[in-house]
Amino acid sequence: EHYRSGERLSVLLEWQQTSDSPLPEYYPEVRLMRQGQVLAARDAAPVYDRYPTSWWQPQEAVLDWRDLIVPPETDSGPAEVQVRVRGQEPVSLGWVQLEAVPRVYDLPEMQRRVRSAWSEVAALAGYDLSAFEVVAGRDLNLTLYWEALGPSDQELVVFTHLLSEDGRLIAQHDGSPAGGGRPTTGWVEGEYIADPHPLQWVDTVYNGPALIEVGWYDPRTGLRLLTPRGDSRLLLPDAIIVR
């Protein structure tokens, strides 16, 4: 299998308690290895750290998902996935192919330049808009240009909302940057990411001026990231006329 920089590599382990006696606490480690070097590793009690081995019953089978993030600046090439339990030799789970992501460090050309930061992850450098006057229901494409301020521990989601004059939602598109191809877990400080968002209409009878709000949220909690000023969104300066 192939994994790009910043992508999540998931492994399903199946354990079985073969002893009739209670087990001590084990914290199995899943790791990504290349030429004796640990690229990524995570050790924890099984089942997302929620089902310690001391609770297991004799002959019980336990399914245990483990996730690793491919490091952002990993070079392309093969890597081995291993699992290791304290006091035992590591066991190979197989090999994967890692792919480095092409990166852009020069500011791209864009229609509008802005500057707004979110937390320590990203700053919006600007955007392109396919039309400033649009018939409701027709294509409306927005491309955001993010400047990476550093990688995130979580895969964050961008929201883009087209709002009516009275603040109602009339079109939207939410998604991981670049259609999922550039998760925030793989960003490198100083690079620029082009992030297209084809807005989908939810109200095709509205007529009048509209604005686009953009921002970020954590999909695990639904909580929005805040700008340094405490705002949960940015309103783009260009008004759109919907007919």
Side-chain angles (χ1 to χ4, degrees):
E1 294 189 48
H2 290 68
Y3 294 89
R4 304 181 81 200
S5 305
E7 286 189 336
R8 185 179 305 274
L9 188 159
S10 296
V11 177
L12 176 60
L13 304 172
E14 182 176 356
W15 306 97
Q16 187 167 25
Q17 157 64 304
T18 59
S19 172
D20 292 330
S21 302
L23 291 175
E25 296 287 2
Y26 288 115
Y27 299 90
E29 179 186 59
V30 174
R31 56 191 188 178
L32 194 60
M33 302 290 296
R34 176 183 285 163
Q35 298 178 344
Q37 178 185 4
V38 179
L39 301 180
R42 184 174 186 272
D43 62 344
V47 193
Y48 301 106
D49 225 6
R50 298 174 182 171
Y51 194 33
T53 52
S54 59
W55 294 4
W56 294 7
Q57 301 300 311
Q59 306 309 312
E60 179 180 13
V62 176
L63 296 179
D64 179 22
W65 279 103
R66 297 297 176 109
D67 294 330
L68 291 175
I69 300 297
V70 178
E73 298 186 84
T74 300
D75 294 331
S76 297
E80 185 180 19
V81 183
Q82 297 179 346
V83 61
R84 182 176 180 274
V85 178
R86 184 183 69 232
Q88 305 293 324
E89 289 296 314
V91 175
S92 177
L93 302 178
W95 290 78
V96 295
Q97 183 70 23
L98 305 184
E99 296 180 1
V101 173
R103 302 183 190 276
V104 174
Y105 291 96
D106 295 324
L107 183 66
E109 293 291 330
M110 61 191 77
Q111 287 177 325
R112 297 288 187 271
R113 291 190 182 182
V114 298
R115 177 73 182 185
S116 182
W118 267 270
S119 185
E120 298 178 352
V121 178
L124 182 62
Y127 60 95
D128 296 336
L129 197 57
S130 62
F132 296 92
E133 184 171 329
V134 64
V135 175
R138 299 288 180 87
D139 290 349
L140 181 61
N141 298 307
L142 171 69
T143 299
L144 303 172
Y145 294 92
W146 301 105
E147 180 185 354
L149 305 181
S152 167
D153 293 335
Q154 302 296 330
E155 298 175 22
L156 302 172
V157 173
V158 177
F159 67 84
T160 59
H161 298 161
L162 183 65
L163 303 177
S164 65
E165 197 169 23
D166 59 358
R168 291 184 296 107
L169 180 69
I170 54 177
Q172 74 174 112
H173 184 273
D174 293 11
S176 181
R182 292 301 318 274
T184 50
T185 46
W187 287 14
V188 171
E189 181 180 359
E191 68 167 324
Y192 291 92
I193 297 93
D195 179 25
H197 290 271
L199 276 72
Q200 308 296 314
W201 293 86
V202 296
D203 181 350
T204 56
V205 298
Y206 176 75
N207 285 272
L211 289 173
I212 295 177
E213 65 172 6
V214 303
W216 293 86
Y217 65 89
D218 184 337
R220 301 170 306 157
T221 63
L223 295 176
R224 292 186 178 185
L225 274 65
L226 301 180
T227 69
R229 295 176 52 185
D231 298 323
S232 65
R233 66 173 186 171
L234 173 69
L235 285 172
L236 300 185
D238 289 300
I240 296 169
I241 302 300
V242 181
R243 303 195 185 282

